[in-house]
Amino acid sequence: MELRQVRYVLAVAEERSFSRAANRLHLAQPSLSQQIAKLEKLLGVSLFHRLPQHVELTDAGQRFVQVAQTLVDMSEGLEREMRAYAVGESGKLLVGSLPITGAYVLPRVISAFTKQFPGVELQLMEDTSSHLEQLLVRGKIDVSLLTMPISDPSLEIIPAINEEIFLALPPSHPLANRKEVDLAEVADQPFILLKEGQGFRTISLRLCEQAGFRPKIVFESSNIQTVQSLVAAGMGLSFAPKMITLAPGTVEPPVYVRMTAKPYRTLVVAYRKDRPLSRPAEVFVQNLVEQGEHI
């Protein structure tokens, strides 16, 4: 049974005439009669009493029309809803965010997005880069801000932010007044890093490895702001991306010194290659990339 056949029956029932229904539907009357006869054969019942001057619904026809009208209404409602999704008037967008990075980058992006797509529900999920990557691969979120490197080949990657990484020193450190520091100079000193599973920890370890040493890790934290506070208290050294140096969030922040190698990290927006972005998701990603250009 085809939906167009259902619409044909409703038209004939309303007009009580095959000819008038055919004119209304812009069909030839023989074609309309043929389609309804085909449907009646499929269903095994007659839907109409065909009288000389008009047609009337049979008992089966009355029940058919009752349910058919509901089906047509649901179909038209579904079409309207899908068109709303297509143009971004409704729907849901699940976005993964790195906690501190997201707090610095996303507010303006979210504000602009909600104004442009007020009917779209935006949900944020904050977690580590590695966990967000897993959620993205499993389809639990639509797009995510992640730290490179990304290991899964099923993800499409769009560079969003390139930011320099600084060495974080206690204010009383002998090198705190230097304009630049070679990382190898502090190879034997204690370091405070983020815990395993966080993308910036991987970057930090790689910087030390490139400088020719393995850091002596004395403290670990899941919060980069806590790391900065411990550095400021003189408990060790660490690293900080540029956005953290602009808004350290501690009463007495560390001293941030540029490293001679001028390392940087790359943040990307990622989504699954086999899941094309909706129009709202495309706009969100575009806005996020544009915002990243100003950091």
Side-chain angles (χ1 to χ4, degrees), residues 220-231:
E220 295 179 338
S221 174
S222 58
N223 189 310
I224 196 169
Q225 295 287 18
T226 301
V227 171
Q228 305 306 303
S229 296
L230 291 172
V231 173

Side-chain angles (χ1 to χ4, degrees), residues 38-106:
K38 182 179 179 181
L39 177 60
E40 289 176 320
K41 183 177 180 180
L42 174 67
L43 298 175
V45 296
S46 294
L47 299 176
F48 295 99
H49 295 299
R50 291 157 172 83
L51 304 177
Q53 302 298 324
H54 65 280
V55 296
E56 294 181 355
L57 288 167
T58 64
D59 289 344
Q62 290 178 4
R63 177 56 181 164
F64 183 94
V65 166
Q66 182 182 15
V67 177
Q69 188 61 59
T70 300
L71 289 175
V72 170
D73 290 343
M74 290 178 64
S75 172
E76 292 175 350
L78 182 60
E79 288 180 12
R80 288 193 298 271
E81 187 173 346
M82 291 302 101
R83 285 194 292 269
Y85 273 94
V87 298
E89 293 178 353
S90 63
K92 181 186 295 184
L93 181 61
L94 303 176
V95 178
S97 170
L98 304 168
I100 300 299
T101 304
Y104 189 85
V105 177
L106 291 181

Side-chain angles (χ1 to χ4, degrees), residues 28 62 89 114 158 191 233:
Q62 290 178 4
E89 293 178 353
T114 54
I158 302 175
F191 276 81

Side-chain angles (χ1 to χ4, degrees), residues 8 21-29 31-32:
Y8 293 166
N23 288 333
R24 170 177 155 185
L25 296 168
H26 305 291
L27 291 173
Q29 181 177 335
S31 177
L32 176 61

Side-chain angles (χ1 to χ4, degrees), residues 132-153:
L132 289 173
E133 182 178 346
Q134 296 171 17
L135 293 175
L136 198 58
V137 171
R138 288 159 49 197
K140 300 298 183 181
I141 51 179
D142 299 313
V143 299
S144 185
L145 187 64
L146 301 175
T147 304
M148 289 293 286
I150 305 299
S151 59
D152 198 292

Side-chain angles (χ1 to χ4, degrees), residues 191-196 201 217-223 226-227 230:
F191 276 81
I192 304 168
L193 299 183
L194 291 171
K195 291 183 177 180
E196 290 283 354
R201 176 191 174 95
I217 303 173
V218 292
F219 289 105
E220 295 179 338
S221 174
S222 58
N223 189 310
T226 301
V227 171
L230 291 172

